[in-house]
Amino acid sequence: MRDAIKRRLSFSWRRTSNGGETHSSPPAAPRAKRYLRHALIGAGTLAGAVAVAAVSGYIAVDRLGAPDLAQVNQLSTTVLDRNGHLLRAFTTQSGRWRLPVEASDVDQRYLAMLMAFEDKRFYEHGGIDMRSLARAAVQLVENRRIVSGASTLTMQVARLIEGRYERSGGAKLRQIVGALQLEHHLNKRQILSLYLRLAPFGGNIEGVRAASLAYFGKEPRRLSIGEAALLVALPQSPEWRRPDRNPRAARVARDRVLQRATEEGVITEAEARRAALEPVPIGRRAFPKLAPHLAEAEVMAQPKETVHLLTIDRGVQRALEALAEEQTKLLGRKLSAAILAVDHTTGEVIAHVGSAGYLDDARAGAIDMVNAMRSPGSTLKPFIYGLAFEAGLAHPETLIEDRPVRYGSYAPKNFDEDFHGTVTIRDALAQSLNIPAVKVLSAVGPGKLAGRFRKIGVEPAFPDKTVPTLAMALGGVGLTLHDVTTLYAGLARGGDVVPLVHRRADVADAAKALLHGKQAERKRLLSPLAAWYVSDILKDAPPPVNAKAGRFAYKTGTSYGYRDAWAVGYDGKYTVAVWVGRPDGASTPGLSGRVAAAPILFDAFARLGDKRTPLSGPPSGALRVTGSELPPPLKRFREGGIADVAQGPFLEPRVLISFPPDRAEVETETGDQLLLKASGGVLPLTWLVNGAPITSDPRARQVVWQPDGNGFVRLSVVDAKGRVDRVTVRLKGSEGVVTMAGEEQKR
């Protein structure tokens, strides 16, 4: 009887060109009638009834059209790192964990055991395994009870798509028709992917990837034999066999899968015995929640995207999140920390730690302190000195007075409440003295500092929208950790600012634009020479206790009232910025950048790797001399270097560059010399090109200069009283290349 049914219910199948399995064209009406007549011979049995439904479904499958996969294609939104590793996942709108997964993402031993246990002829049948169906029907008639099932993986997928889990003859018939429909419109790879995505594993967990993360805490790409067997067993009775609720039932079901896999030759008996000794998980693990602030912001910014690709490095992110949590526990109960790490060679953000603990309510962990507006303390001092170096007002070895000074009602004081007398600019910056920084900012102009920031895309915030003041030197301005990182990344790049990006698509777009010669216009924070002078000072800044100096350049800062502690550092590849404080802005007595933030910064660099990329060497024109060897105007800093000097009938006229005029275009050929002329001022005069002194006759008001290329140059002249005039000119040659601060760009 069994053989007769098998012969009568056999279908014809063909292999498709893409390697999948699909049935042949629907049979003609006479052939269908022959199938139907043969099926009716066994209609007195359950097998005959099912066969009738199968043939009828096969005839009608074209009329049904493609299966509706809209609901099952609703996946959990996932956020991935630069290497495709999962950073964060979100449930579907219905509250289910249903992560995208393909067969290539799953351990092949799991797939082999799945086929051996559920559907070993999956790649041979067309949705209905007639041999298994006939066998099950015959066993049912002979034994008057269900001895074995006949449900294929395709039929199970049809049931999962339907979303109805009743056990009845009608439900089985619907599954048969649904299986035929799936096989008619999808290939085997697509059907298997649907099963891997939709199979239930207990609670709101759907799909093998979500189950592997929930029960084992890892992706299903590498599973032990015991883990693979458990994942095969759970979908048959997901609620009863849930390991977190009934580990005994889960173990029994797993061992049954191991036994079947051994019988089918998928694993050896020795492997099965070892797998049976593996413990069954007794609880669910939390899904990954790395870079939670950035992940949530991305999902909110692009709600229609289901997969978000970031530049974050998962390993670095995990290490720095742990660092922030560990260190803040030692510092205080309500203190939080934020860390931003970037590869400044490309601008890619590799770690974004918004707080010391996303779920820590005591530390207001849900607030992203990377983008919170705070006072930067002394972290802006390097840029103040950088502008002075660029303007020819100072050199690292220039002497400056650290003595009491007053600007109207404003009288700055040093952090240590002391005065250090005559110091060099190098020492003033290395020791973060306040008074010299305010003096230099007075000469440079706070408006110029703020304007330079705005020029590169960093918008400083001032109280009640007031104008910039000298208080900027000590943190009297609002900036975010992201802003400060952008500034220091530009410093690390020799003054050339690159936008910080965290989306992989943005990196790809930038690379594509560069390939097609559409590089974005460069934004210059400082000249290469000024940036190098600053870096040369910061690399020798004294390190925190038990830390090694000289491995990277760094600066600390502490805001007024001990509300914010900062530390920012960079080597030749990475820039890392750290903020420590209370998110509510409350004061923390004793909090300082050197004590609270600097140790985190040094530890963060250690977690980036033991090897440090060296900082770039000095550019051409760098003046590496002692203070006594400096040109007279640079030996001692004089305030008011950029501000206009009052004119009067009995005062010397201010020094002015009479040729070339400001913003002029001067045609030059290779080897040509350019005559620079000045008027007014007190001899001797010192000439500088892009901040670097050039050889000149101190008794003359003109000098012959040999350009080293075409492009934009900044010319400065300083008289004996420290008064300065500057112009920017463009040297235009025949080759059509513009050089901006020593770097070439196509016009």
Side-chain angles (χ1 to χ4, degrees):
M1 177 178 178
R2 183 180 303 174
D3 293 338
I5 292 175
K6 290 180 180 177
R7 286 196 303 273
R8 291 169 183 169
L9 299 181
S10 61
F11 284 129
S12 173
W13 308 95
R14 64 179 173 83
R15 185 175 301 275
T16 61
S17 60
N18 65 358
E21 302 290 339
T22 182
H23 53 66
S24 62
S25 301
R31 189 176 182 187
K33 291 179 180 178
R34 185 170 66 254
Y35 286 161
L36 187 59
R37 184 173 62 254
H38 289 167
L40 288 174
I41 294 175
T45 66
L46 178 62
V50 172
V52 171
V55 174
S56 300
Y58 185 74
I59 294 172
V61 69
D62 268 338
R63 299 177 183 176
L64 296 176
D68 184 6
L69 302 179
Q71 291 296 323
V72 299
N73 281 332
Q74 291 183 0
L75 301 176
S76 293
T77 297
T78 55
V79 183
L80 309 180
D81 83 337
R82 66 194 302 115
N83 299 311
H85 298 143
L86 184 64
L87 292 171
R88 182 83 188 272
F90 300 83
T91 58
T92 63
Q93 292 181 353
S94 59
R96 300 179 181 277
W97 293 105
R98 185 190 293 162
L99 276 63
V101 63
E102 300 291 339
S104 58
D105 301 326
V106 181
D107 195 308
Q108 295 304 301
R109 289 178 299 184
Y110 163 80
L111 295 176
M113 281 191 272
L114 176 67
M115 298 304 172
F117 194 77
E118 293 284 5
D119 191 353
K120 59 185 177 182
R121 282 182 289 276
F122 174 71
Y123 290 103
E124 301 171 10
H125 63 65
I128 306 170
D129 189 345
M130 300 308 298
R131 292 168 58 184
S132 298
L133 187 64
R135 183 189 67 248
V138 171
Q139 289 174 343
L140 175 62
V141 172
E142 292 176 345
N143 298 278
R144 298 183 180 181
R145 63 182 179 84
I146 297 177
V147 177
S148 63
S151 180
T152 63
L153 280 177
T154 311
M155 292 170 63
Q156 293 182 47
V157 171
R159 175 174 60 84
L160 294 170
I161 292 174
E162 184 184 23
R164 298 167 64 178
Y165 300 100
E166 61 185 80
R167 292 180 178 273
S168 65
K172 184 63 68 176
L173 296 179
R174 288 196 303 272
Q175 292 171 27
I176 290 173
V177 174
L180 293 173
Q181 188 183 12
L182 286 169
E183 293 279 352
H184 188 69
H185 292 279
L186 303 178
N187 60 38
K188 290 292 187 180
R189 178 184 59 80
Q190 293 169 320
I191 294 171
L192 179 58
S193 294
L194 283 174
Y195 177 84
L196 297 177
R197 185 192 309 166
L198 300 176
F201 287 87
N204 63 345
I205 300 175
E206 292 186 358
V208 66
R209 186 181 179 196
S212 182
L213 289 166
Y215 293 128
F216 310 132
K218 64 180 182 181
E219 296 280 359
R221 192 171 289 107
R222 293 289 182 268
L223 298 170
S224 69
I225 293 177
E227 291 169 344
L230 180 61
L231 294 181
V232 170
L234 291 181
Q236 291 185 337
S237 184
E239 293 305 320
W240 171 247
R241 296 174 179 177
R242 279 181 60 171
D244 57 328
R245 293 187 176 179
N246 196 346
R248 180 181 178 85
R251 180 183 293 276
V252 171
R254 181 200 64 181
D255 293 348
R256 190 179 299 123
V257 173
L258 291 173
Q259 181 181 354
R260 178 73 63 82
T262 304
E263 294 170 354
E264 297 294 334
V266 175
I267 59 175
T268 65
E269 292 186 1
E271 289 175 325
R273 286 194 298 270
R274 286 195 296 269
L277 297 177
E278 293 182 23
V280 171
I282 59 175
R284 281 177 52 168
R285 299 170 183 257
F287 281 81
K289 196 174 289 185
L290 294 169
H293 303 88
L294 185 60
E296 284 192 357
E298 279 303 294
V299 172
M300 291 180 65
Q302 303 182 70
K304 294 183 179 180
E305 297 291 332
T306 57
V307 179
H308 298 262
L309 308 177
L310 304 185
T311 61
I312 297 294
D313 185 305
R314 185 176 66 172
V316 175
Q317 179 71 31
R318 180 183 287 114
L320 297 190
E321 284 187 12
L323 173 62
E325 183 177 359
E326 293 164 5
Q327 291 297 315
T328 50
K329 285 181 179 178
L330 301 176
L331 293 172
R333 188 171 62 89
K334 294 187 177 182
L335 286 173
S336 187
I339 306 173
L340 192 63
V342 304
D343 180 345
H344 58 244
T345 63
T346 61
E348 296 174 56
V349 176
I350 60 173
H352 178 119
V353 182
S355 69
Y358 180 69
L359 300 177
D360 192 337
D361 291 338
R363 303 177 194 276
I367 300 177
D368 185 2
M369 297 308 299
V370 168
N371 293 310
M373 196 69 70
R374 309 293 292 201
S375 166
S378 297
T379 58
L380 301 188
K381 290 176 181 175
F383 307 100
I384 297 171
Y385 290 113
L387 289 178
F389 297 151
E390 182 180 275
L393 292 177
H395 179 274
E397 306 307 326
T398 297
L399 298 177
I400 189 169
E401 297 299 320
D402 180 30
R403 303 182 188 279
V405 65
R406 178 177 294 276
Y407 298 89
S409 61
Y410 180 51
K413 296 182 180 179
N414 288 323
F415 187 78
D416 60 4
E417 300 285 342
D418 198 2
F419 304 102
H420 301 262
T422 303
V423 296
T424 63
I425 295 288
R426 179 182 297 276
D427 290 337
L429 178 54
Q431 298 177 39
S432 196
L433 300 179
N434 291 343
I435 294 175
V438 174
K439 285 186 174 182
V440 175
L441 182 59
S442 176
V444 171
K448 185 176 183 62
L449 180 64
R452 189 64 64 92
F453 289 170
R454 294 190 181 102
K455 184 178 179 181
I456 65 167
V458 172
E459 185 63 40
F462 298 96
D464 301 323
K465 298 182 180 180
T466 56
V467 298
T469 67
L470 295 179
M472 281 187 73
L474 309 183
V477 61
L479 293 173
T480 66
L481 186 68
H482 188 279
D483 293 334
V484 174
T485 308
T486 300
L487 294 174
Y488 275 82
L491 197 57
R493 290 171 53 87
D496 180 24
V497 175
V498 61
L500 303 187
V501 295
H502 57 262
R503 298 188 184 100
R504 282 163 56 185
D506 293 342
V507 179
D509 290 345
K512 189 182 299 183
L514 184 62
L515 182 65
H516 292 85
K518 298 179 181 179
Q519 185 178 3
E521 181 182 355
R522 292 178 182 271
K523 295 180 179 180
R524 179 65 67 180
L525 174 64
L526 292 172
S527 69
L529 182 60
W532 182 81
Y533 279 150
V534 172
S535 297
D536 190 53
I537 297 172
L538 296 184
K539 72 178 177 59
D540 295 324
V545 179
N546 299 325
K548 185 178 180 181
R551 303 195 69 197
F552 54 87
Y554 89 104
K555 180 73 179 72
T556 61
T558 306
S559 68
Y560 178 77
Y562 303 99
R563 291 176 172 83
D564 308 276
W566 302 77
V568 194
Y570 55 91
D571 63 4
K573 183 174 179 61
Y574 297 114
T575 299
V576 181
V578 177
W579 170 89
V580 178
R582 287 182 52 162
D584 60 4
S587 176
T588 303
L591 183 73
S592 71
R594 181 171 175 79
V595 173
I600 298 178
L601 175 68
F602 274 71
D603 203 341
F605 267 105
R607 299 190 186 199
L608 288 175
D610 294 332
K611 295 184 178 180
R612 298 269 64 81
T613 303
L615 295 166
S616 59
S620 60
L623 192 59
R624 308 186 72 171
V625 297
T626 63
S628 60
E629 298 172 328
L630 287 173
L634 292 178
K635 288 185 177 181
R636 184 173 293 275
F637 181 77
R638 300 174 185 274
E639 296 185 58
I642 289 182
D644 288 339
V645 178
Q647 300 292 313
F650 305 104
L651 298 177
E652 308 94 345
R654 59 170 297 188
V655 63
L656 294 172
I657 297 177
S658 54
F659 185 84
D662 192 26
R663 301 184 182 181
E665 285 191 356
V666 181
E667 292 189 3
T668 61
E669 297 294 336
T670 303
D672 283 357
Q673 293 181 324
L674 183 64
L675 181 65
L676 310 180
K677 295 182 179 180
S679 62
V682 178
L683 297 176
L685 302 181
T686 301
W687 289 87
L688 302 98
V689 176
N690 290 332
I694 61 174
T695 303
S696 61
D697 184 352
R699 297 169 297 178
R701 297 186 180 275
Q702 62 185 38
V703 61
V704 176
W705 169 59
Q706 176 73 62
D708 58 1
N710 298 320
F712 291 97
V713 293
R714 297 183 182 88
L715 305 176
S716 307
V717 63
V718 187
D719 74 355
K721 292 192 174 182
R723 293 172 295 187
V724 181
D725 188 33
R726 296 179 303 159
V727 298
T728 299
V729 300
R730 179 184 177 191
L731 305 181
K732 186 177 180 181
S734 59
E735 61 270 36
V737 176
V738 176
T739 302
M740 177 68 80
E743 297 189 21
E744 290 188 347
Q745 289 185 313
K746 295 291 183 183
R747 284 189 298 175

